[in-house]
Each structure stands twice: as C-alpha cells, then as structure tokens.
C-alpha cells in the first residue's frame, strides 16, 4: 500500500479522540506513483477525494518508492537520519490535520493558523519547527476590463519545516505545488539540501508569481491610461480606474508584508535552514523588492491617471458652461428687444414710424452676429 494510502494509521499515535479526528483520512485509497502534473483547482480539493495531495519521502534528493505508511517512512528516515518527508495538503479540516499534527509534534497555534487560513505573511519558530505563511497571487484573465472585473485572485500556502519533514498546506483555487515538486525532483542535488531547499523553492515560486501578476496588471493600467488620454478621454469609465486600485490594494496586501519574513529567513540563524540556503533567500528578497516597487509605482500612476481624468471632466464641464453662457448672451439681446417693444404703451420711440420695425430687427440681428463672432473668436463657441 502507498504511503498516503496508509495515512489512516497516523491516528494510532494519539488517543481515541485522535482516531476519530483522523477518520476522514481513510478516504485516501492510494496516491499513485509519479505521473502527470497535479493541478488542484477549486472546487476539487484533491484528485484523491480528501485534503491530502501527495506524500513522498526523499533520500539524498531522490524520491523513494511509496512502499511504506507515513508513520513507517518517518520512523525509517529518523533512524537513518537521512532524507525527509514532504506531505502536501489542500484546505484540510481540523479533524484531517489532527493526527498529522500529533505525528510531527506541531504547535497548536501554528496548526490553527494552517487550518483556518486568512493569515498575514509571516515566519514563526516553534521549538525545532519553522512555520511560514505565504500569500499566493494569480492574475485573472479577462477579455475586457470593467468596473467589476476581478483582476487578482489570492490564496495562501502554509509551510511547516522540520529537520526531516516538510508539510505544505494550500488554500485557494490556484498555487498548485505539483509542477514545483516535479522541477525539484528533476534536480536531486537541490533536494539533497533538505527541507530548507523546499521552503526556498516555494518562496521563490510565490515571488515569481508576484512579478508575473504585476506585469499583467501593468497591461491593464496601460490600457486605461491610453483611453483616459484619448481625445474623448473624459468619457472613460472612472469605475475601471477604481477597480484597478482596489485590485492593486489586494495585491499590495499580499506582497508587501512578506518583506520582513524573507529578511528573517535570509539573515536570522535557524536550525532548520543552513547558512548556504539563506543566501538564496536574499535573492528571493531582491525579487520581492522589485515587485513591491512596481506596485508602489502603479499606485502612484493610477492616482495620476484618476486626477487627470477628473481634470478632463472638469475642463469638459467648463467648456459646456462657456458655450451655454455664450448662447445665453446671444439670446438675451432679442429677448430684451422683444420684451421692450412688447409692452403696451402709447408713447414709445419709433412706435408709429414705418421704419421702426426694420431698424429694431437690424439692431437685434447685428448685435447677435457681433456677439457670436466675438465668442467664436475667443473659443467659447
């Protein structure tokens, strides 16, 4: 039976209550041998029908056959003091995670964070275990950006790192670690460096996804910028700009808080991370700074675009008001003349003169033409 297929035996390490909590893991029949890439997309939590995605042991960077149960594999690795176990889960419940937490002696606070998610990026140390939280980001493809378009989708990856194990807990519809596992298995010398190498690879992939998302968001910003500064830019929908700012804020909440945890991983001595691995975390931190700078630049650019759009709208309104005012001035002349001679008085200038009407009409028309030409010359009409 495969390693993941025997995960039900994990419950034997605890009390009777632990057995009940791990009962759902019995649905896992067998984790098949290495095959095609596994991409877990919502709502399918796992191709196995439970939260367990994969469970593999490695020795000297080489994947070992899944011939033993999880408990047996962990015991063999701990006795030989060579290799580690990589257990991957997707949105596990408290009951599904209880036995695993007991087997690897995970801290209850870290377990609670891993199960319930919605955590800020962070790195915490519990005795001999390192617990890291990463926010994953995925750009949502769309044919046309609207005021309600979803641009960025976020998720989470929690990583437990010990001397001889790595446990990854993923939340969200994206961020599958299947392709990453295959890439690492193709480079045994990297996996031979232990669980810290897996942690670095996960951090590197998460930050690379940040850069890919920011590059894609830049295309949307360029599109909005082009429309705003077009000849009829005042007609652009401001809701699209606000939507981009909201999505950019969500991206910022995922990217910026990771800076401090990466600095801790790159500079603070830790038992589970060798000094030579920490140098690679510094490189990931450099990439994160690039993504952070891009997001800050995008935020300022969107503010400028929004202000420019509001200025265009104000200018267009002023032009409309000038036109209305100019036509009101032109119309006021005949209105005044007609109103004056529409009064019922017997004694008025030129009232009984045969050329009075043509003279008044000529004055009205001449004044209107003069006003029109003056407004036209000044750009009001």
């Amino acid at each position: 039976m495969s390693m993941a297929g025997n995960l039900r035996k994990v419950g034997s390490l605890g009390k009777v209550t632990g057995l009940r909590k791990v009962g759902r893991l019995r649905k896992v029949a067998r984790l098949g041998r290495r095959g095609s890439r596994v991409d877990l997309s919502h709502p399918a939590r796992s191709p196995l029908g439970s939260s367990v995605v994969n469970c593999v042991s490695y020795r000297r960077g080489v994947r070992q056959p899944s011939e033993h149960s999880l408990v047996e594999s962990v015991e063999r690795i701990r006795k030989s003091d060579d290799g580690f176990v990589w257990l991957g889960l997707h949105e596990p419940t408290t009951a599904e995670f209880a036995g695993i937490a007991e087997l690897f002696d995970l801290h209850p606070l870290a377990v609670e964070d891993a199960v319930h998610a919605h955590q800020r990026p962070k790195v915490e140390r519990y005795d001999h275990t390192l617990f890291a939280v990463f926010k994953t980001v995925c750009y949502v493809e769309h044919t046309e950006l609207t005021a309600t378009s979803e641009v960025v989708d976020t998720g989470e990856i929690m990583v437990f790192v010990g001397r001889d194990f790595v446990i990854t807990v993923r939340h969200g519809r994206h961020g599958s670690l299947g392709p990453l596992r295959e890439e690492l298995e193709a480079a045994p010398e990297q996996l031979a460096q232990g669980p810290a190498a897996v942690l670095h690879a996960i951090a590197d992939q998460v930050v690379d996804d940040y850069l890919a998302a920011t590059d894609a968001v830049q295309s949307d910003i360029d599109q909005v910028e082009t429309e705003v500064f077009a000849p009829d830019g005042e007609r652009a929908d401001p809701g699209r700009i606000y939507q981009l700012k909201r999505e950019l804020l969500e991206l910022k909440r995922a990217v910026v808080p990771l800076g401090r945890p990466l600095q801790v991983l790159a500079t603070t001595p830790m038992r589970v991370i060798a000094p030579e691995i920490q140098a690679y975390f510094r490189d990931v931190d450099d990439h994160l700074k690039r993504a952070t700078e891009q997001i800050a630049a995008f935020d300022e650019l969107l503010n400028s675009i929004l202000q420019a759009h509001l200025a265009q709208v104000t200018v267009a309104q002023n032009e409309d008001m000038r036109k209305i005012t100019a036509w009101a001035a032109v119309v006021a002349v005949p209105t005044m003349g007609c109103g004056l001679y529409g009064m019922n008085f017997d004694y008025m200038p030129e009232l009984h003169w045969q050329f009075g009407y043509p003279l008044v009409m000529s004055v009205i028309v001449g004044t209107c033409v003069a006003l029109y030409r003056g407004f036209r010359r000044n750009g009001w009409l």
Side-chain angles (χ1 to χ4, degrees), residues 172-205:
R173 298 174 293 179
H174 62 275
S176 173
L177 297 177
L180 176 63
R181 186 191 295 267
E182 292 185 358
E183 293 177 4
L184 289 175
E185 290 177 354
E189 65 282 357
Q190 186 172 356
L191 273 178
Q193 299 182 48
V198 178
L199 178 63
H200 163 262
I202 294 174
D204 189 45
Q205 174 177 289

Side-chain angles (χ1 to χ4, degrees), residues 186-255:
E189 65 282 357
Q190 186 172 356
L191 273 178
Q193 299 182 48
V198 178
L199 178 63
H200 163 262
I202 294 174
D204 189 45
Q205 174 177 289
V206 169
V207 175
D208 286 345
D209 290 341
Y210 291 165
L211 294 173
T214 54
D215 291 340
V217 170
Q218 184 174 7
S219 301
D220 290 330
I221 296 177
D222 292 340
Q223 179 183 356
V224 171
E225 184 180 18
T226 301
E227 294 180 0
V228 167
F229 289 99
D232 57 346
E234 69 278 359
R235 298 183 180 180
D237 183 11
R240 302 172 64 187
I241 305 176
Y242 281 111
Q243 179 65 12
L244 271 178
K245 285 187 66 65
R246 285 194 296 267
E247 295 295 312
L248 190 64
L249 178 61
E250 184 175 0
L251 180 61
K252 184 177 181 180
R253 289 173 178 171
V255 176

